[in-house]
Amino acid sequence: MEVKLPNVILTKLDRLVFDRARPYTMWPLTFGLACCAIEMMATGCSRYDAFERFGMLFRATPRQADLMIVAGTITKKMAPNVRRLYEQMPEPKYVIAMGECAICGGPFYDSYSVVNGADQIIPVDVYVPGCPPRPETLIDAIVKLQKKIREGKIKR
Amino acid sequence: MAEEKSQSEAGEEQVRHELIDTLTSKFGDRLLEARVQRERRLQVRIRGEDLLPVVEFLKGSGFDHLSCISGVDYEDRMEAVYHLWSYSRGELVQINAELPRDKPEIDSLVPLYRAADWHEREAYDMLGIVFRGHPNLKRMLLPEGFEGHPLRKDFKTKPMSWYLEGEAEMWETPVEIEQDGEGEIETMVLNIGPQHPSTHGVARLVTTLSGETVVKIEPIIGYLHRGVEKIAENRTYQQFLPLTDRTDYISSITNNLAYVLAVEELMGVRVPERAEYLRVILSELQRIANHLMFIAAFGADLGAWTVMMYGFREREMVLDLMEQVSGQRLLYNFLRIGGLKEDVPEGWTEAVRNFLRVLPERLSDYETYFFNNEIFIKRCEGVGVLEPELAIELGVTGPMLRASGVARDVRRDDPYSIYDRFDFEVVTEEAGDTLARFKVRFREIFESLRIIEQALDDLPEGEVRSPDVPKVIRPPKGEVYSRIEAPKGELAYYIVSDGKSTSPYRLKIRSPAFCNLSAFPHYATGEIIPDMIVNFASVDIVMGEIDR
């Protein structure tokens, strides 16, 4: 049966409110692993100042964060800790894999102590190529993640 | 200056022969080999059991700085390799101690040099050389319980699941109550890191606290151990160059420089004049960028977020200059074996000169922020005092050593590239505290500006890449230890070439922050925990370089 009402949109409250608000209040974890972390800092500092303009505020504890930017090489010694940090973050949570190391191990792909990509241990939403990616690339990744959240494409 | 130099060279000539002669007469046939590698470099080959008397003798004759301990696996034997530098003589002696491969055991040097502690632990971890008498011989870069030693030629790696299973080992914070003569002392173990905003990466500090006072600190490193030294054995000499950038990623040009200097020395290549000058300019720009980054991060650790913004603003100017020559913002990979990748673009030197004009004005603002700021001074002055004797004994180098009043700088003491042509001051501070370490780095920026200015004035025209470097680099058999003054201290590359292969047989990076960090527990214990963060920040660490 089809009900026709003028000027009415049917949606879930979740979709209407939270998915529209979430992209603009992503709080990333203060979490740097290697070289890419320096570019991540540069993205947030003078000249680029990209995080606060996007409503992003770095939190030092995973309990208050909902975005993890994996900036750098994950070594096998660090891998359990990265996974634990991810598990400590409350839902819904998102992951950006920044740089070649977080994508696939990068220039250290054949090392005995490097994890070949963040997606081996945690789910990744956006991959940012570059070694290290420029701040512009990271900003682009953030915009892409915002779009993904807004359109409800992230299902957990 | 020229007179002084020729005199000192003549002096060294005598000393050098004298030392080898004395060693030969004293140790006789226990010395397998004693020779002069080149100017300021001696090499001694001994059997493992003769190590202690030889090192004791050398320490007595002025070799007070243990630069590096490493090892090489030659498949038929092992070698423990020691590099000792004498500040008074201006010479480096390399000791190769031969060990049987099935039972590589050698006496520990910790009673003679406290710097040996961390180096020996690393050599044990990487190569399985057992140091008899070491107080704390356990794994350093790899996790406890790991089997095998990566830098042995027959090493096989562990599967990923092994690491994830041993996950929960570390997160206990036990409270212990000890009975003291005066009463009960309650100590608590606090884990700082590996994920902590002020650990500058992924270091972990296991701190024992009594109330607010730090009783003991045990730095645990290796969370960014990427196995660069092993990767080097599977790459050609040119292919390894980008990986040097990624060890100390705040100052990649200086890492490039140390590596290319080592390979050039192995091959006996001379670099064109213009390339030498540009290398100096680029390294000094890099030093400025590094120190600005230090200032920014130090400010952030003190809670002064404004400083972070200012530091990054000035650093972006250097990054712009670097980007113009190399096309990259952070990891430049611009130096090549035998010169540079290409010449600098037109107008670049003017851009640098402009930078030289702008930066001092901006830095004068910094002086107001810091040295007229009571909170800053209160938090840094008298905090974490490192005594000069202890600093030398612990192998501390670079700005940290100079902040303790020891005027030592590889650029002046063991000149590489063309640093002997420039006039600059070796900046020192007497206090040895955190404020002094900050001041030394701050003042070094001005010295770097002076060097850049002189280099720009003398910059010759011409080629930037030596035509003698073949496409396939296969250096003759030999060993080289090339030291430079990186922004954080003495950075050295030890490369062994077997003469047949196009990749290094063994490559060891002596990283300055590694040794400087080993001094951190010594001066930070006994102080309160908020000061520990400041003390830690003042080391200027980069985990990529410490863990490699």
Side-chain angles (χ1 to χ4, degrees), chain A residues 4 7 19 34 36 48 63-64 71 77 82-83 87 92 96 104 107 112-113 124 140-141 149:
Chain A
K4 277 186 181 169
N7 303 325
D19 276 7
C36 288
Y48 292 99
R63 307 278 185 205
Q64 299 171 353
K77 194 174 177 180
V82 174
R83 202 168 69 172
E87 283 164 0
I96 292 177
C104 64
Y112 57 87
S113 64
V124 175
D140 183 48
I149 299 171

PDB file of all heavy atoms in Angstrom, chain A residues 4 7 19 34 36 48 63-64 71 77 82-83 87 92 96 104 107 112-113 124 140-141 149:
ATOM      1  N   LYS A   4       0.483   8.501   0.060  1.00  0.00           N
ATOM      2  CA  LYS A   4       1.060   9.697  -0.554  1.00  0.00           C
ATOM      3  C   LYS A   4       0.749  10.909   0.297  1.00  0.00           C
ATOM      4  O   LYS A   4      -0.395  11.261   0.519  1.00  0.00           O
ATOM      5  CB  LYS A   4       0.489   9.884  -1.961  1.00  0.00           C
ATOM      6  CG  LYS A   4       1.220   9.047  -2.989  1.00  0.00           C
ATOM      7  CD  LYS A   4       0.736   9.356  -4.375  1.00  0.00           C
ATOM      8  CE  LYS A   4       1.486   8.461  -5.349  1.00  0.00           C
ATOM      9  NZ  LYS A   4       0.922   8.501  -6.687  1.00  0.00           N
ATOM     10  N   ASN A   7       5.078  16.869   0.845  1.00  0.00           N
ATOM     11  CA  ASN A   7       6.170  17.468   1.644  1.00  0.00           C
ATOM     12  C   ASN A   7       6.604  16.625   2.843  1.00  0.00           C
ATOM     13  O   ASN A   7       6.851  17.125   3.918  1.00  0.00           O
ATOM     14  CB  ASN A   7       5.787  18.869   2.146  1.00  0.00           C
ATOM     15  CG  ASN A   7       5.420  19.767   1.010  1.00  0.00           C
ATOM     16  OD1 ASN A   7       5.987  19.670  -0.071  1.00  0.00           O
ATOM     17  ND2 ASN A   7       4.431  20.608   1.226  1.00  0.00           N
ATOM     18  N   ASP A  19      24.093  10.981  10.932  1.00  0.00           N
ATOM     19  CA  ASP A  19      24.960  10.870   9.763  1.00  0.00           C
ATOM     20  C   ASP A  19      25.233  12.230   9.133  1.00  0.00           C
ATOM     21  O   ASP A  19      26.175  12.388   8.376  1.00  0.00           O
ATOM     22  CB  ASP A  19      24.351   9.919   8.731  1.00  0.00           C
ATOM     23  CG  ASP A  19      24.683   8.472   9.058  1.00  0.00           C
ATOM     24  OD1 ASP A  19      25.262   8.257  10.131  1.00  0.00           O
ATOM     25  OD2 ASP A  19      24.376   7.586   8.248  1.00  0.00           O
ATOM     26  N   ALA A  34      55.067   7.198  12.394  1.00  0.00           N
ATOM     27  CA  ALA A  34      56.368   7.442  11.762  1.00  0.00           C
ATOM     28  C   ALA A  34      56.317   8.734  10.960  1.00  0.00           C
ATOM     29  O   ALA A  34      55.658   9.689  11.363  1.00  0.00           O
ATOM     30  CB  ALA A  34      56.768   6.246  10.911  1.00  0.00           C
ATOM     31  N   CYS A  36      54.841   9.859   8.401  1.00  0.00           N
ATOM     32  CA  CYS A  36      53.577  10.461   8.009  1.00  0.00           C
ATOM     33  C   CYS A  36      52.990  11.305   9.133  1.00  0.00           C
ATOM     34  O   CYS A  36      52.251  12.248   8.875  1.00  0.00           O
ATOM     35  CB  CYS A  36      52.586   9.378   7.626  1.00  0.00           C
ATOM     36  SG  CYS A  36      52.986   8.620   6.062  1.00  0.00           S
ATOM     37  N   TYR A  48      48.394  25.073   6.665  1.00  0.00           N
ATOM     38  CA  TYR A  48      47.279  24.236   6.201  1.00  0.00           C
ATOM     39  C   TYR A  48      46.085  24.348   7.145  1.00  0.00           C
ATOM     40  O   TYR A  48      44.962  24.485   6.687  1.00  0.00           O
ATOM     41  CB  TYR A  48      47.725  22.790   6.045  1.00  0.00           C
ATOM     42  CG  TYR A  48      48.709  22.654   4.912  1.00  0.00           C
ATOM     43  CD1 TYR A  48      50.069  22.609   5.150  1.00  0.00           C
ATOM     44  CD2 TYR A  48      48.263  22.626   3.603  1.00  0.00           C
ATOM     45  CE1 TYR A  48      50.968  22.524   4.116  1.00  0.00           C
ATOM     46  CE2 TYR A  48      49.151  22.539   2.556  1.00  0.00           C
ATOM     47  CZ  TYR A  48      50.503  22.485   2.818  1.00  0.00           C
ATOM     48  OH  TYR A  48      51.395  22.407   1.794  1.00  0.00           O
ATOM     49  N   ARG A  63      39.352   6.627  23.944  1.00  0.00           N
ATOM     50  CA  ARG A  63      37.971   6.586  24.432  1.00  0.00           C
ATOM     51  C   ARG A  63      37.156   7.766  23.942  1.00  0.00           C
ATOM     52  O   ARG A  63      35.941   7.723  23.947  1.00  0.00           O
ATOM     53  CB  ARG A  63      37.967   6.590  25.962  1.00  0.00           C
ATOM     54  CG  ARG A  63      38.815   5.542  26.593  1.00  0.00           C
ATOM     55  CD  ARG A  63      38.119   4.226  26.652  1.00  0.00           C
ATOM     56  NE  ARG A  63      38.914   3.248  27.384  1.00  0.00           N
ATOM     57  CZ  ARG A  63      38.813   1.941  27.202  1.00  0.00           C
ATOM     58  NH1 ARG A  63      37.964   1.468  26.312  1.00  0.00           N
ATOM     59  NH2 ARG A  63      39.553   1.111  27.891  1.00  0.00           N
ATOM     60  N   GLN A  64      37.833   8.842  23.596  1.00  0.00           N
ATOM     61  CA  GLN A  64      37.106  10.035  23.159  1.00  0.00           C
ATOM     62  C   GLN A  64      37.209  10.248  21.659  1.00  0.00           C
ATOM     63  O   GLN A  64      36.752  11.258  21.153  1.00  0.00           O
ATOM     64  CB  GLN A  64      37.659  11.264  23.872  1.00  0.00           C
ATOM     65  CG  GLN A  64      37.510  11.202  25.368  1.00  0.00           C
ATOM     66  CD  GLN A  64      38.256  12.305  26.070  1.00  0.00           C
ATOM     67  OE1 GLN A  64      38.997  13.059  25.463  1.00  0.00           O
ATOM     68  NE2 GLN A  64      38.060  12.393  27.378  1.00  0.00           N
ATOM     69  N   ALA A  71      49.134   6.888  10.717  1.00  0.00           N
ATOM     70  CA  ALA A  71      50.142   7.673  10.017  1.00  0.00           C
ATOM     71  C   ALA A  71      51.498   7.039  10.222  1.00  0.00           C
ATOM     72  O   ALA A  71      52.209   7.381  11.152  1.00  0.00           O
ATOM     73  CB  ALA A  71      50.118   9.107  10.510  1.00  0.00           C
ATOM     74  N   LYS A  77      55.733  -5.430  16.272  1.00  0.00           N
ATOM     75  CA  LYS A  77      55.739  -5.199  17.713  1.00  0.00           C
ATOM     76  C   LYS A  77      54.633  -4.221  18.101  1.00  0.00           C
ATOM     77  O   LYS A  77      54.081  -4.300  19.187  1.00  0.00           O
ATOM     78  CB  LYS A  77      57.110  -4.659  18.133  1.00  0.00           C
ATOM     79  CG  LYS A  77      57.350  -4.691  19.627  1.00  0.00           C
ATOM     80  CD  LYS A  77      58.764  -4.286  19.966  1.00  0.00           C
ATOM     81  CE  LYS A  77      58.992  -4.235  21.460  1.00  0.00           C
ATOM     82  NZ  LYS A  77      60.342  -3.837  21.821  1.00  0.00           N
ATOM     83  N   VAL A  82      48.189  -1.223  18.159  1.00  0.00           N
ATOM     84  CA  VAL A  82      47.317  -0.502  17.234  1.00  0.00           C
ATOM     85  C   VAL A  82      45.920  -1.111  17.283  1.00  0.00           C
ATOM     86  O   VAL A  82      44.914  -0.407  17.348  1.00  0.00           O
ATOM     87  CB  VAL A  82      47.884  -0.555  15.801  1.00  0.00           C
ATOM     88  CG1 VAL A  82      46.917   0.066  14.821  1.00  0.00           C
ATOM     89  CG2 VAL A  82      49.215   0.157  15.730  1.00  0.00           C
ATOM     90  N   ARG A  83      45.864  -2.437  17.296  1.00  0.00           N
ATOM     91  CA  ARG A  83      44.565  -3.091  17.312  1.00  0.00           C
ATOM     92  C   ARG A  83      43.827  -2.795  18.618  1.00  0.00           C
ATOM     93  O   ARG A  83      42.633  -2.534  18.624  1.00  0.00           O
ATOM     94  CB  ARG A  83      44.729  -4.599  17.131  1.00  0.00           C
ATOM     95  CG  ARG A  83      43.455  -5.223  16.619  1.00  0.00           C
ATOM     96  CD  ARG A  83      43.668  -6.620  16.174  1.00  0.00           C
ATOM     97  NE  ARG A  83      43.938  -7.487  17.321  1.00  0.00           N
ATOM     98  CZ  ARG A  83      44.012  -8.814  17.224  1.00  0.00           C
ATOM     99  NH1 ARG A  83      43.859  -9.391  16.056  1.00  0.00           N
ATOM    100  NH2 ARG A  83      44.268  -9.549  18.273  1.00  0.00           N
ATOM    101  N   GLU A  87      40.249  -0.993  19.183  1.00  0.00           N
ATOM    102  CA  GLU A  87      39.158  -1.608  19.938  1.00  0.00           C
ATOM    103  C   GLU A  87      38.684  -0.710  21.078  1.00  0.00           C
ATOM    104  O   GLU A  87      37.531  -0.783  21.487  1.00  0.00           O
ATOM    105  CB  GLU A  87      39.616  -2.967  20.491  1.00  0.00           C
ATOM    106  CG  GLU A  87      39.621  -4.041  19.431  1.00  0.00           C
ATOM    107  CD  GLU A  87      40.427  -5.261  19.841  1.00  0.00           C
ATOM    108  OE1 GLU A  87      40.983  -5.257  20.946  1.00  0.00           O
ATOM    109  OE2 GLU A  87      40.502  -6.199  19.026  1.00  0.00           O
ATOM    110  N   PRO A  92      30.425   4.831  16.429  1.00  0.00           N
ATOM    111  CA  PRO A  92      31.018   4.418  15.165  1.00  0.00           C
ATOM    112  C   PRO A  92      32.421   4.986  15.028  1.00  0.00           C
ATOM    113  O   PRO A  92      32.695   6.081  15.498  1.00  0.00           O
ATOM    114  CB  PRO A  92      30.084   5.050  14.136  1.00  0.00           C
ATOM    115  CG  PRO A  92      29.561   6.256  14.814  1.00  0.00           C
ATOM    116  CD  PRO A  92      29.498   5.954  16.259  1.00  0.00           C
ATOM    117  N   ILE A  96      41.587   6.047   8.665  1.00  0.00           N
ATOM    118  CA  ILE A  96      42.262   6.493   7.451  1.00  0.00           C
ATOM    119  C   ILE A  96      43.645   5.869   7.478  1.00  0.00           C
ATOM    120  O   ILE A  96      44.383   6.023   8.458  1.00  0.00           O
ATOM    121  CB  ILE A  96      42.374   8.029   7.385  1.00  0.00           C
ATOM    122  CG1 ILE A  96      40.994   8.657   7.212  1.00  0.00           C
ATOM    123  CG2 ILE A  96      43.280   8.454   6.251  1.00  0.00           C
ATOM    124  CD1 ILE A  96      41.007  10.171   7.202  1.00  0.00           C
ATOM    125  N   CYS A 104      50.327  -0.742   2.447  1.00  0.00           N
ATOM    126  CA  CYS A 104      50.836  -2.060   2.056  1.00  0.00           C
ATOM    127  C   CYS A 104      52.218  -2.370   2.623  1.00  0.00           C
ATOM    128  O   CYS A 104      52.824  -3.360   2.252  1.00  0.00           O
ATOM    129  CB  CYS A 104      50.899  -2.142   0.538  1.00  0.00           C
ATOM    130  SG  CYS A 104      52.043  -0.973  -0.148  1.00  0.00           S
ATOM    131  N   PRO A 107      57.923   1.106   1.439  1.00  0.00           N
ATOM    132  CA  PRO A 107      59.294   0.727   1.099  1.00  0.00           C
ATOM    133  C   PRO A 107      59.854  -0.381   1.987  1.00  0.00           C
ATOM    134  O   PRO A 107      60.914  -0.901   1.723  1.00  0.00           O
ATOM    135  CB  PRO A 107      60.078   2.030   1.287  1.00  0.00           C
ATOM    136  CG  PRO A 107      59.232   2.899   2.107  1.00  0.00           C
ATOM    137  CD  PRO A 107      57.825   2.482   1.914  1.00  0.00           C
ATOM    138  N   TYR A 112      61.238  -8.114   7.864  1.00  0.00           N
ATOM    139  CA  TYR A 112      60.758  -9.158   8.762  1.00  0.00           C
ATOM    140  C   TYR A 112      59.883  -8.619   9.868  1.00  0.00           C
ATOM    141  O   TYR A 112      59.247  -9.376  10.578  1.00  0.00           O
ATOM    142  CB  TYR A 112      61.944  -9.918   9.365  1.00  0.00           C
ATOM    143  CG  TYR A 112      62.921  -9.026  10.110  1.00  0.00           C
ATOM    144  CD1 TYR A 112      62.717  -8.723  11.435  1.00  0.00           C
ATOM    145  CD2 TYR A 112      64.025  -8.481   9.467  1.00  0.00           C
ATOM    146  CE1 TYR A 112      63.583  -7.906  12.115  1.00  0.00           C
ATOM    147  CE2 TYR A 112      64.896  -7.657  10.139  1.00  0.00           C
ATOM    148  CZ  TYR A 112      64.672  -7.376  11.461  1.00  0.00           C
ATOM    149  OH  TYR A 112      65.525  -6.551  12.125  1.00  0.00           O
ATOM    150  N   SER A 113      59.883  -7.295  10.068  1.00  0.00           N
ATOM    151  CA  SER A 113      59.187  -6.782  11.246  1.00  0.00           C
ATOM    152  C   SER A 113      58.082  -5.794  10.889  1.00  0.00           C
ATOM    153  O   SER A 113      57.612  -5.086  11.756  1.00  0.00           O
ATOM    154  CB  SER A 113      60.191  -6.120  12.186  1.00  0.00           C
ATOM    155  OG  SER A 113      60.751  -5.013  11.549  1.00  0.00           O
ATOM    156  N   VAL A 124      39.839  -0.534   7.246  1.00  0.00           N
ATOM    157  CA  VAL A 124      40.241   0.797   6.793  1.00  0.00           C
ATOM    158  C   VAL A 124      39.159   1.360   5.878  1.00  0.00           C
ATOM    159  O   VAL A 124      38.602   0.644   5.051  1.00  0.00           O
ATOM    160  CB  VAL A 124      41.588   0.716   6.049  1.00  0.00           C
ATOM    161  CG1 VAL A 124      41.961   2.066   5.475  1.00  0.00           C
ATOM    162  CG2 VAL A 124      42.684   0.244   6.982  1.00  0.00           C
ATOM    163  N   ASP A 140      42.140  15.868   1.288  1.00  0.00           N
ATOM    164  CA  ASP A 140      41.257  15.221   0.328  1.00  0.00           C
ATOM    165  C   ASP A 140      40.677  13.939   0.924  1.00  0.00           C
ATOM    166  O   ASP A 140      39.486  13.651   0.766  1.00  0.00           O
ATOM    167  CB  ASP A 140      42.044  14.928  -0.948  1.00  0.00           C
ATOM    168  CG  ASP A 140      41.174  14.314  -2.016  1.00  0.00           C
ATOM    169  OD1 ASP A 140      40.091  14.872  -2.247  1.00  0.00           O
ATOM    170  OD2 ASP A 140      41.561  13.284  -2.587  1.00  0.00           O
ATOM    171  N   ALA A 141      41.516  13.203   1.635  1.00  0.00           N
ATOM    172  CA  ALA A 141      41.048  11.958   2.241  1.00  0.00           C
ATOM    173  C   ALA A 141      39.984  12.231   3.287  1.00  0.00           C
ATOM    174  O   ALA A 141      38.993  11.498   3.389  1.00  0.00           O
ATOM    175  CB  ALA A 141      42.219  11.223   2.872  1.00  0.00           C
ATOM    176  N   ILE A 149      30.640   9.031   5.006  1.00  0.00           N
ATOM    177  CA  ILE A 149      29.789   8.968   6.200  1.00  0.00           C
ATOM    178  C   ILE A 149      28.427   9.583   5.887  1.00  0.00           C
ATOM    179  O   ILE A 149      27.380   9.035   6.228  1.00  0.00           O
ATOM    180  CB  ILE A 149      30.449   9.709   7.374  1.00  0.00           C
ATOM    181  CG1 ILE A 149      31.792   9.069   7.732  1.00  0.00           C
ATOM    182  CG2 ILE A 149      29.545   9.689   8.591  1.00  0.00           C
ATOM    183  CD1 ILE A 149      32.603   9.871   8.721  1.00  0.00           C
TER     184      ILE A 149
END
